[in-house]
Amino acid sequence: MGLCTSSLSGSDRLQDKFYQTKKWKYTIKDRTKLKQVENIVKPFILDDAVYKRVCDVMLDNFNKGLGKETNAEARVKMFPTYVRSVPDGTEEGDFLALDLGGTNFRVLLISLKGQEVNMESKIFLIPQHIMLGTGIQLFDHIADCIYKFMKEQKIEKKTLPLGFTFSFPCKQLGLAKAKLTTWTKGFKCEGVEGNDIVQLLHEAIKRKGDMEVECLAVINDTVGALMSCAHSDRQCAIGLILGTGTNACYIEKLENVGLWDSDYNDPKEVIINTEWGAMGDDGGLDFLITEYDKHVDKHSINGGKQIYEKMISGMYMGEIVRLVLEKLRRNGLLFGGVGSEELSKRGRFYTKYVSEIESDVDESDFKSTKQVFEELELTNYTDEDCRIALYVCSLVSTRAAYLASAGIATLLNKMGRKDVSVAVDGSLYRFHPHFHDLMVEKIEKLVTPGIRFKLMLSHDGSGKGAALVAAVANRLRDEEAKKEKDCKPNED
Ligand code: BGC
């Protein structure tokens, strides 16, 4: 499943990886140097007892978030999404979808016809000044992009229902009403926190004029991933994102949701957006936090927040690696102690470098690693440096994969279903060569015996998922309208 593309099995590939990364030890002849390097990277090597403790903390956070009395002070908010049922494959029609969650913003036109899904989409950049500007600027920019897209597709005269994937923590007050609680992932637009983003979107569409668009549903990207997979796999009950940020959602029984304030009709379940990235914001993960994590947090625009996310996701992983490499260099253990201006720049070591370096399987040439070094204008490197850099990358990414596994194992154990498919999306999971295998290996260790799971790559959940939720909302709305009409006394 997922990323498995080579002919090796998952465990063969992992063995191979461990062989590669451990081998550096045997090639460093200087025992003192070896010890010094090991001392610096040690905090990333955690045993299963630590990951089990993470599961306990996670479960505690989940329960606190779900409880009516405890939710207010809980850090992990466990937002009920008002998405009660997964698609049944009968959804039909043309829908617009918006996907906002990182530096790119997408507008999509999606045609659903049973299992058949056709999509047209366009990516727009969200410039830094808009990410840090005002909410009005952000939503005006979004409305402009929608208009451009509709013109290009020649659908500007049509009235289309729209699903909005908005991948930030939102308290949902209904399917099409969601208040942003706090920005994450480098966004900080003034005047949006505490407000209904659907209303902000509708106001911007009105300001723009000349188009008829109505947002029927707003969903988180985790929900999109779940919906998109559930369209073809009925066992799918968890959505997981490992990209710029991280988060998971799952299907919970209403009886366990103390917070639930709506009806208890069938299906007696609702999708919960956990917003697990906030775990540790109360100090609950201090037992494993390293000096590097503290540094990353201190220099972020949301200090003290999203602690678990900052140890896992793509927005931060490269920076953690860079800080370790810099420490090794300063101690004369890497690049002969000579760095570069690039390597010392905050944020300059991208997370994609971690995936590239760890893709170097032919250790005799370290092609990708050397290319990354060149990009960082490092000239003074040896094969031993390549080996050490690979080791650092592998330790940081392995910790991330294991931490995410602890989260998923906690959800699987909590749900107690026998067979669960987990829909996974996000650039980190997609492009890292070992993330999938590492997760499978660790979840197996942490999950209650007897529970079977599958990690499935979810295809374009943010687009397709939003369209599916909008389609269901549209159908329900039509049904309601019909019911009302049928109930009205005949006026003729
Ligand atoms: C956001 C979540 C989102 C996740 C993945 C986090 O920063 O708070 O809402 O699902 O990133 O995109």
Side-chain angles (χ1 to χ4, degrees), residues 100-102 166-170 182-186 220-223 240-248 273 275-278 302 306 309 313 316 425:
L100 179 72
F166 183 76
S167 307
F168 299 94
C170 284
T182 168
W183 284 114
T184 58
K185 295 180 288 194
N220 187 259
D221 50 356
T222 53
V223 178
L240 166 66
I241 300 291
L242 292 160
T244 309
T246 182
N247 188 16
N273 168 17
E275 286 296 338
W276 75 12
N302 55 348
Q306 301 292 104
E309 171 165 274
S313 76
Y316 312 97
D425 204 352

Side-chain angles (χ1 to χ4, degrees), residues 23-37:
K23 203 172 168 200
W24 71 277
K25 285 190 188 174
Y26 310 114
T27 52
I28 298 176
K29 299 282 171 299
D30 180 344
R31 306 306 289 172
T32 322
K33 177 173 184 177
L34 183 66
K35 276 246 132 30
Q36 287 173 322
V37 174

Side-chain angles (χ1 to χ4, degrees), residues 383-403:
D383 274 7
E384 188 175 287
D385 292 328
C386 293
R387 210 177 293 283
I388 293 175
L390 174 59
Y391 185 53
V392 171
C393 288
S394 119
L395 289 179
V396 175
S397 65
T398 300
R399 182 189 68 156
Y402 287 174
L403 282 171

Side-chain angles (χ1 to χ4, degrees), residues 66-96:
L66 287 171
K68 202 178 169 75
E69 259 76 64
T70 42
N71 179 270
E73 88 236 19
R75 300 302 173 112
V76 176
K77 285 296 185 190
M78 308 297 276
F79 294 119
T81 60
Y82 294 84
V83 180
R84 300 278 292 273
S85 29
V86 293
D88 63 7
T90 60
E91 291 73 22
E92 275 197 21
D94 289 344
F95 300 89
L96 277 176

Side-chain angles (χ1 to χ4, degrees), residues 154-198:
K154 303 199 174 36
I155 50 170
E156 73 274 23
K157 297 273 177 290
K158 281 196 177 169
T159 307
L160 289 177
L162 176 142
F164 189 1
T165 303
F166 183 76
S167 307
F168 299 94
C170 284
K171 183 174 167 58
Q172 300 247 176
L173 302 169
L175 201 50
K177 201 172 169 66
K179 281 192 182 169
L180 175 71
T181 56
T182 168
W183 284 114
T184 58
K185 295 180 288 194
F187 274 73
K188 201 95 203 146
C189 303
E190 207 189 296
V192 185
E193 287 176 350
N195 288 309
D196 174 14
I197 55 131
V198 177

